[in-house]
Every structure is written in structure tokens, then in C-alpha cells.
């Protein structure tokens, strides 16, 4: 909760919060009505926010036929590193990573992303009887239009083309994107498209529907510059247990009291350094909260790699 912010509270690129004003905001908005203290009120607000995000992740995983506990969470955006630890606890995720510059991750991604232009056109057609020549003419027009746009910003770089057909079984309300070859379609491609659709549908929904008619609603084509290849980086071996730069009070709802936790300046951490939760790792754009039961190490890319070291049953209260 942000309290009053003025020029005196903004120094060195960081905003100092008015603790009294923040407590009053929590009390006036929630605490007084529920007859609870401002600390519990603020914690309740944070819990609702975290639970909403965790619920969205659960629903998305179920819809995709995935088990969310099999995956590693990646936090980006200014507030994400503050929330990711608690969301990992809620989802029973054993590992989460906070990349360098996570607070401005979207901006960095925009600057590093390839120059690209996408065109999507509606052209409903039954898979087993569509006009192949008409579809090819449409895709050629889309390619020419996209290349003309991208070429102006590609600075002579190599252009890469991707094509998709959004397909579904007849009568369904949602389509799934199926990759197309980046060339003129031939009659023999129809059977391959059907196989690709059935396979992808089975991966998403655990089964395909044999002999059910398939239709294509829209066609998408993207032209862009080449994406730079990513090379593997080895994590450092050994490493030291990092020393905190300061201590900070954190409200522990399990104890309903304030506890002191170590604070680490991310700029002072080196690759291989280890941090034990609970702790806070601060940087210019954001702060990472490392819950109790998780430890972190600065990996070979300089990212904060956080892993659970205690089972959920042993973690107990959260700091």
C-alpha cells in the first residue's frame, strides 16, 4: 500500500513510503470495518491479490492439461518478485527465478525482440474441401504486405516467415493454432494438416476426436527478423553464503508480530552467492521476497534462482 509520496521521499531513484499513511490506508479501507489491525488488514489484501494470481495459474494449467507443480515460475515486472514467493507456496511450485532487470523485463524484452509484423485474416474453410488456390493467393498477399512493413526496419537483416491456421472441430467454440509450411500449400498438405491438428489437440485436451470434420476459421502470417540464438551458461560451483547488507522488519501473520529478516543488495551479490529465506533482495527496480523454506543462489546468468528446501508441510508460517 502506497502512502503519501512527495519530493522529499523520492531520492536516489527510490521511493520512500510513508509508513504511518500506509497503515492508515489499510485501517480505513479494511481494518476498521473488520475490527482488525492494519498489519493483518494489509496482509489480507496481499493474500487476496496473491490468491487471485495463483487461481488464474491453476485454471490456465488445468485448461492446458498441465500440472503446474512440474514447472518453474519466472517473475518479471516491478511487483512480480514481491509476489512470486507466496504464489509459489500456494501452487506448490518448487522453483522460481527472478531474472536480471526483472522490474523492467517487459521493456528489455521489447528492446531485444525481433522486428516483426503479423497479419491475421478471416477465411473460413472446411479442411477437406477448401479452395487451395484462393488460400495461397491470400497467404501470398499477406506475405507481401508483411515483408514490405518489416523490410523498412530490418536494416537488411534476414527475414523469417511463420504461418498458422486457426483450426477446430466443426461446432466447437475455440480454435487452436496449427503451424503451416512457409511456402505455397499443396494438395498433399491437407492430410498433414489434419494429422498436425489431431496431434496438437490431443496434447492439449488428452484426446483427439476421430472422423470429426475440421474447419479453419482464420489464417495468420508473421514476418520478422531472425531471433538471436541462446547459448547455454553453466552455473558456478561452490559459492559463498552471502552476508546481508542490513536488516528489515517484516510482518509475520503466523506470529501476528514483526520479525527481522536480512536484506541483500542485489548489486552486491556475485554469481554463486547463496541466500537463505526468509530474506529480501532489493534492487533499483524491484525487490524479491524469499519465503521461509526457500533458498536462493545467483546462477551463471546472474539470475536469482530460488528453490524449495523444505516440504510444504514443514514450511509453516510465512514471514
Amino acid at each position: 500500500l502506497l502512502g503519501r509520496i512527495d519530493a522529499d521521499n523520492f531520492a536516489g531513484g527510490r521511493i520512500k513510503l510513508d509508513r504511518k499513511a500506509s497503515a492508515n490506508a489499510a485501517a480505513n479501507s479494511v481494518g476498521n470495518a473488520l475490527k482488525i489491525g492494519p498489519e493483518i488488514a494489509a496482509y489480507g489484501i496481499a493474500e487476496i491479490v496473491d490468491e487471485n494470481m495463483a487461481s488464474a495459474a491453476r485454471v490456465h494449467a488445468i485448461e492446458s492439461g498441465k500440472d503446474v507443480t512440474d514447472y518453474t515460475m519466472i517473475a518479471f515486472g516491478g511487483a512480480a518478485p514481491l509476489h512470486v514467493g507466496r504464489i509459489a507456496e500456494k501452487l506448490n511450485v518448487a522453483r522460481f527465478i527472478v531474472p536480471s532487470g526483472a522490474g523492467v523485463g517487459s521493456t528489455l524484452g521489447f528492446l531485444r525482440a525481433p522486428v516483426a509484423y503479423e497479419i491475421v485474416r478471416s477465411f473460413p474453410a472446411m479442411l477437406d474441401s477448401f479452395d487451395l488456390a484462393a488460400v495461397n493467393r491470400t497467404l501470398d498477399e499477406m506475405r507481401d504486405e508483411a515483408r514490405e512493413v518489416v523490410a523498412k526496419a530490418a536494416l537488411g537483416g534476414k527475414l523469417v516467415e511463420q504461418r498458422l491456421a486457426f483450426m477446430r472441430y466443426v461446432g466447437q467454440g475455440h480454435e487452436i493454432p496449427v503451424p503451416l509450411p512457409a511456402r505455397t500449400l499443396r494438395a498433399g498438405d491437407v492430410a498433414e494438416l489434419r494429422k498436425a491438428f489431431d496431434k496438437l489437440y490431443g496434447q492439449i485436451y488428452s484426446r483427439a476426436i476421430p472422423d470429426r470434420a475440421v474447419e479453419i476459421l482464420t489464417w495468420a502470417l508473421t514476418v520478422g527478423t531472425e531471433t538471436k540464438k541462446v547459448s547455454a551458461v553453466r552455473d558456478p560451483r561452490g559459492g559463498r553464503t552471502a552476508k546481508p547488507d542490513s536488516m528489515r522488519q517484516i510482518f509475520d501473520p503466523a506470529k501476528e508480530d514483526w520479525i527481522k529478516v536480512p536484506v541483500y543488495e542485489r548489486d552486491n551479490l556475485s554469481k554463486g552467492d547463496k541466500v537463505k529465506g526468509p530474506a529480501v533482495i532489493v534492487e533499483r527496480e524491484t525487490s524479491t521476497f524469499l519465503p521461509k523454506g526457500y533458498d536462493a543462489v545467483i546462477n551463471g546468468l546472474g539470475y536469482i534462482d530460488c528453490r524449495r528446501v523444505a516440504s510444504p508441510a514443514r514450511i509453516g508460517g510465512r514471514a
Side-chain angles (χ1 to χ4, degrees), residues 43-55 57-58 68-69 73 83-94 291 294 308 312 315 318:
Y43 173 71
I45 294 170
E47 276 290 278
I48 291 173
V49 171
D50 292 342
E51 183 58 37
N52 284 339
M53 289 189 281
S55 295
R58 293 188 194 101
V68 72
T69 61
M73 293 179 63
H83 293 275
V84 66
R86 182 56 174 152
I87 295 172
E89 289 180 324
K90 288 176 175 289
L91 295 175
N92 193 23
V93 170
Y294 285 80
R308 189 172 60 211
I315 289 177
R318 177 176 87 96

Side-chain angles (χ1 to χ4, degrees), residues 237-304:
R237 295 183 178 181
R240 65 184 179 105
T241 299
K243 294 183 179 180
D245 295 282
S246 61
M247 301 294 290
R248 180 179 298 176
Q249 284 193 320
I250 298 291
F251 185 75
D252 185 345
K255 297 180 179 180
E256 296 191 13
D257 199 2
W258 295 88
I259 61 172
K260 284 187 175 182
V261 300
V263 176
Y264 302 82
E265 291 280 350
R266 187 167 184 173
D267 289 344
N268 294 338
L269 296 175
S270 302
K271 295 176 182 179
D273 283 359
K274 301 173 183 177
V275 175
K276 185 178 181 62
V280 178
I281 301 174
V282 299
E283 54 188 298
R284 185 173 57 183
E285 301 95 1
T286 187
S287 294
T288 299
F289 174 69
L290 183 66
K292 181 180 179 181
Y294 285 80
D295 286 356
V297 62
I298 307 302
N299 67 15
L301 292 170
Y303 297 174
I304 306 173

Side-chain angles (χ1 to χ4, degrees), residues 106-312:
S106 296
T107 302
L108 292 174
F110 177 79
L111 293 173
R112 294 177 63 88
V115 178
Y117 188 75
E118 180 186 42
I119 298 176
V120 180
R121 289 189 182 173
S122 177
F123 196 128
M126 297 298 296
L127 178 61
D128 58 359
S129 61
F130 69 86
D131 187 334
L132 197 60
V135 168
N136 279 324
R137 283 196 301 270
T138 299
L139 290 171
D140 287 346
E141 292 172 0
M142 295 164 64
R143 177 201 58 210
D144 293 342
E145 181 181 341
R147 280 181 170 269
E148 183 179 358
V149 173
V150 175
K152 297 176 182 179
L155 301 178
K158 182 179 178 181
L159 300 183
V160 179
E161 182 179 328
Q162 294 180 325
R163 299 182 178 189
L164 295 172
F166 286 80
M167 305 168 64
R168 69 183 185 183
Y169 291 116
V170 172
Q172 291 186 322
H174 300 280
E175 307 86 49
I176 58 176
V178 179
L180 295 171
R183 55 166 171 76
T184 300
L185 293 176
R186 300 187 286 262
D189 293 326
V190 174
E192 295 302 317
L193 271 177
R194 175 67 194 232
K195 291 180 182 178
F197 171 77
D198 285 340
K199 180 179 180 180
L200 187 56
Y201 192 94
Q203 290 174 348
I204 296 174
Y205 299 107
S206 299
R207 58 162 299 190
I209 306 177
D211 303 322
R212 184 69 179 267
V214 175
E215 60 183 349
I216 304 171
L217 292 190
T218 53
W219 308 78
L221 184 146
T222 301
V223 172
T225 54
E226 280 191 305
T227 302
K228 293 182 180 180
K229 293 183 179 180
V230 178
S231 57
V233 176
R234 291 186 178 182
D235 288 336
R237 295 183 178 181
R240 65 184 179 105
T241 299
K243 294 183 179 180
D245 295 282
S246 61
M247 301 294 290
R248 180 179 298 176
Q249 284 193 320
I250 298 291
F251 185 75
D252 185 345
K255 297 180 179 180
E256 296 191 13
D257 199 2
W258 295 88
I259 61 172
K260 284 187 175 182
V261 300
V263 176
Y264 302 82
E265 291 280 350
R266 187 167 184 173
D267 289 344
N268 294 338
L269 296 175
S270 302
K271 295 176 182 179
D273 283 359
K274 301 173 183 177
V275 175
K276 185 178 181 62
V280 178
I281 301 174
V282 299
E283 54 188 298
R284 185 173 57 183
E285 301 95 1
T286 187
S287 294
T288 299
F289 174 69
L290 183 66
K292 181 180 179 181
Y294 285 80
D295 286 356
V297 62
I298 307 302
N299 67 15
L301 292 170
Y303 297 174
I304 306 173
D305 190 344
C306 309
R307 306 189 187 216
R308 189 172 60 211
V309 293
S311 66

